[in-house]
Amino acid sequence: MPVSTEMFDLTGKVALVTGGTSGIGKAVAAAFVQHGAKVLVGSRNQEKVDAAAKELDGIADVSGEDPVAAGVSIDVANGGSVDRAVRKAVDLFGGLHIVVNSAGLMCKKPSFDLTDSDFNDLYNIHVTGSLRVAQSAGHIFREQHEGCIINLASISSFVDLVEVAAYASAKNAILGLTRSLANEWAKYGIRTNAIAPGFVPTDINRKMIEGTDRGRRIIEHTPMGRFGDSSEIAGGAVYLASPAGRFVNGHTIVIDGGYLASGIGDSVAPWEKDD
């Protein structure tokens, strides 16, 4: 029996995407709009918020004067800011059904040099920030007995990358947070999952992996022989948020071009020289 395209239809759903003005968050927001959802994108930079919302509204394949995308200034490190963003989604679009926790930052530093502030800042955004958004939206989800939370984990949730201990630790914590909320909140009709992207160049990591020895070694270890693209991560979010993913709860989907599966194999590095 073929799978209907309606299984991936998000028409009538409203999503809030933090970190939605660039990179993976923006790609997820675009994919949601293309599949029929209305989307509120947020970040701390109002100028970027306005530009992203305008761009997203322009790609919607719908007619009419009502926007399908809007922006909101949100700081996930501040509970009041999070609550205001959640209320704005409801006020603008009449409800809220999906949240994607994509806000993040990077700290590349030798572990001997890490400070308490380095660690706490990353945890406050990635982990506590994700919890703040989940809690605020969760009150709405619980009342309507329907909701989908998608957290952003990372390939570094599973493997070590040197000099990113604070980031890796936070992304490991996302796995535990995802499982805990999935286990506790399913009775309220709330599903919680995560996506762990492989190596995708974005604003927070591009200088670390593009044109660097680290990037060369990453591609060498990736069976598909390349970095990923943000749009390739977005498909996983559509699946988790759509009717196709309605029985998926507490899982982390890895989208990495085979990086975690790779052991010792043929070299696939594009710059490998012939003998």
Side-chain angles (χ1 to χ4, degrees), residues 71-95:
V72 64
S73 176
I74 179 174
D75 179 1
V76 299
N78 182 289
S81 177
V82 169
D83 289 341
R84 286 190 293 273
V86 168
R87 287 197 299 270
K88 183 171 181 177
V90 176
D91 292 342
L92 278 178
F93 298 128

Side-chain angles (χ1 to χ4, degrees), residues 142-183:
R142 181 169 57 179
E143 288 183 9
Q144 64 198 18
H145 204 74
E146 176 192 358
C148 173
I149 299 167
I150 301 174
N151 296 321
L152 262 292
S154 167
I155 197 73
S156 61
S157 301
F158 303 94
V159 294
D160 175 66
L161 306 172
V162 297
E163 297 187 349
V164 290
Y167 180 83
S169 296
K171 288 303 188 181
N172 268 271
I174 287 292
L175 302 185
L177 176 65
T178 297
R179 289 190 294 264
S180 295
L181 297 185
N183 188 37

Side-chain angles (χ1 to χ4, degrees), residues 38 50 68 120 133 135 204 223:
K38 295 183 178 181
D50 294 338
V68 298
N120 293 339
V133 174
Q135 287 175 323
I204 70 170

Side-chain angles (χ1 to χ4, degrees), residues 23-262:
I24 291 171
K26 187 177 180 181
V28 169
F32 281 177
V33 167
Q34 290 166 338
H35 283 77
K38 295 183 178 181
V39 180
L40 183 67
V41 292
S43 81
R44 291 180 292 185
N45 187 309
Q46 187 64 53
E47 184 177 348
K48 290 183 178 181
V49 164
D50 294 338
K54 183 178 180 180
E55 182 181 342
L56 291 168
D57 200 48
I59 68 173
D61 187 20
V62 296
S63 58
E65 297 181 358
D66 294 335
V68 298
V72 64
S73 176
I74 179 174
D75 179 1
V76 299
N78 182 289
S81 177
V82 169
D83 289 341
R84 286 190 293 273
V86 168
R87 287 197 299 270
K88 183 171 181 177
V90 176
D91 292 342
L92 278 178
F93 298 128
L96 184 62
H97 310 90
I98 306 158
V99 292
V100 180
N101 286 308
S102 185
L105 70 160
M106 175 61 73
C107 176
K108 183 180 183 297
K109 183 183 289 188
S111 296
F112 273 122
D113 299 332
L114 283 173
T115 66
D116 290 354
S117 178
D118 292 330
F119 241 78
N120 293 339
D121 286 349
L122 263 75
Y123 265 77
N124 199 21
I125 297 298
H126 290 277
V127 187
T128 316
S130 294
L131 178 61
R132 289 186 187 99
V133 174
Q135 287 175 323
S136 186
H139 291 298
I140 296 170
F141 294 168
R142 181 169 57 179
E143 288 183 9
Q144 64 198 18
H145 204 74
E146 176 192 358
C148 173
I149 299 167
I150 301 174
N151 296 321
L152 262 292
S154 167
I155 197 73
S156 61
S157 301
F158 303 94
V159 294
D160 175 66
L161 306 172
V162 297
E163 297 187 349
V164 290
Y167 180 83
S169 296
K171 288 303 188 181
N172 268 271
I174 287 292
L175 302 185
L177 176 65
T178 297
R179 289 190 294 264
S180 295
L181 297 185
N183 188 37
E184 186 176 345
W185 290 359
K187 62 187 176 184
Y188 303 124
I190 303 171
R191 294 185 300 109
T192 308
N193 294 287
I195 296 173
F199 294 94
V200 176
T202 65
D203 289 349
I204 70 170
N205 69 359
R206 186 170 281 108
K207 291 181 179 180
M208 292 171 55
I209 64 175
E210 284 191 337
T212 66
D213 184 62
R214 177 181 290 223
R216 179 193 64 78
R217 284 179 283 143
I218 287 168
I219 294 181
E220 173 76 18
H221 193 76
T222 303
M224 291 187 70
R226 63 176 176 85
F227 295 129
D229 184 81
S230 293
S231 63
E232 295 171 315
I233 310 303
V238 171
Y239 165 67
L240 290 173
S242 71
R246 63 190 170 209
F247 198 54
V248 183
N249 188 41
H251 287 278
T252 298
I253 297 178
V254 179
I255 306 175
D256 69 346
Y259 186 92
L260 289 185
S262 178

